[in-house]
Amino acid sequence: MSPADLTRIAELVEAEVNYQLDAAVPEPTRRALGITTGRIGGGTTVSVRNDPTGGMFNKSLGLGVSESVTDRLISEVLDFHRAHGSPMAHIQIAPELLPSDWAEISAAHGLEPGGELVRFAAEVDDVTPASTDLRVGQVGAQETDEWATRLWEFFGVPDQHLIEVFAAVARTDGFQAFAAWDGDQMVGVANLFLHGKSAHLNSGATRESHRRRGVQSALIAARAEYAAAAGCRWLVSEVGKPEVEGMNPSLNNMARAGFTRLYDRRNWIWRPETTRVTTSRS
């Protein structure tokens, strides 16, 4: 498969995960967080007006795959975020999909360069087996609430609304939650989203007391096995790019598991007070 095809697969499956935030969430939680989603320019855009993380979930992904990125498209994306009260927004576009005049477009809209994410992909059959001394497996329906609770506990954001969002997402068709247990204690969590022949690894976190025991490597291998059984060919994921190479354990786990580094993708940040007034496309 060509690099361009892998880029398309990776960007679209992540964009679909982004969109599912709205599709699965109970109405009271959606209203409390102010969640609104849209499909713009072939990508997906999510606004979370009352984002407990300060803006992390306000994202636009998948742009440039089926429609060229233009000043007009970015105007429409930002008009969406503005209309729904996003406290900020993250626009992430694969580097090969950025137009030649991106510097002018980003400057005109007040987009500021943020950190970078490293995009990984692997064929499911190429993922390296891994194990840990802990029990690793799928999370059953009766354990989903605990799984979502532990996820945000391990991330350091124990917010009840986010717990409700991710518990609902984990119960949605196409998603499968995984965990690691030390006895009867859930000490590691991860999620998998199936989308045709591709699958997306996300939401990996481990309790601090149980890190450096191979938990996430084992969870990657378990999800790869599950995806293969479901008929998927490709696994994709992304992790934060550290300032010092090799200092992000998640990045190291991906490399050890046999994933190929596809590209580094810049996060462009928009804040309402720094943008110009724009007009949506007709």
Side-chain angles (χ1 to χ4, degrees), residues 1-19:
M1 182 173 290
S2 71
D5 288 335
L6 278 178
T7 294
R8 180 180 183 277
I9 287 172
E11 292 296 308
L12 290 182
V13 69
E14 185 193 6
E16 196 58 32
V17 171
N18 193 45
Y19 189 82

Side-chain angles (χ1 to χ4, degrees), residues 28-36 46-58 84-88 157 159 161-162 165:
T29 305
R30 183 185 293 111
R31 288 197 305 269
L33 291 176
I35 300 176
T36 309
V46 173
S47 171
V48 183
R49 187 175 61 254
N50 303 316
D51 189 341
T53 69
M56 182 178 76
F57 287 104
N58 289 270
H84 295 291
S86 300
M88 66 186 303
V157 190
D159 182 86
H161 290 311
L162 289 180
V165 168

Side-chain angles (χ1 to χ4, degrees), residues 43-119:
T44 65
T45 296
V46 173
S47 171
V48 183
R49 187 175 61 254
N50 303 316
D51 189 341
T53 69
M56 182 178 76
F57 287 104
N58 289 270
K59 291 181 181 179
S60 295
L61 301 173
L63 300 175
V65 175
S66 60
E67 181 177 325
S68 297
V69 175
T70 63
D71 180 90
R72 202 172 185 184
L73 174 59
I74 298 302
S75 292
E76 185 172 353
V77 167
L78 296 182
D79 283 346
F80 179 95
H81 282 292
R82 186 180 302 105
H84 295 291
S86 300
M88 66 186 303
H90 302 271
I91 297 177
Q92 298 174 9
I93 304 170
E96 67 186 73
L97 302 177
L98 290 171
S100 59
D101 59 346
W102 178 248
E104 291 79 8
I105 293 173
S106 59
H109 290 281
L111 301 181
E112 301 173 352
E116 290 181 281
L117 291 172
V118 180
R119 170 72 78 188

Side-chain angles (χ1 to χ4, degrees), residues 121-129 224 233-235 255-260:
E123 291 199 57
V124 292
D125 293 338
D126 292 339
V127 175
T128 304
R233 179 183 176 188
W234 293 100
L235 291 175
R256 279 196 299 267
F259 282 71
T260 297

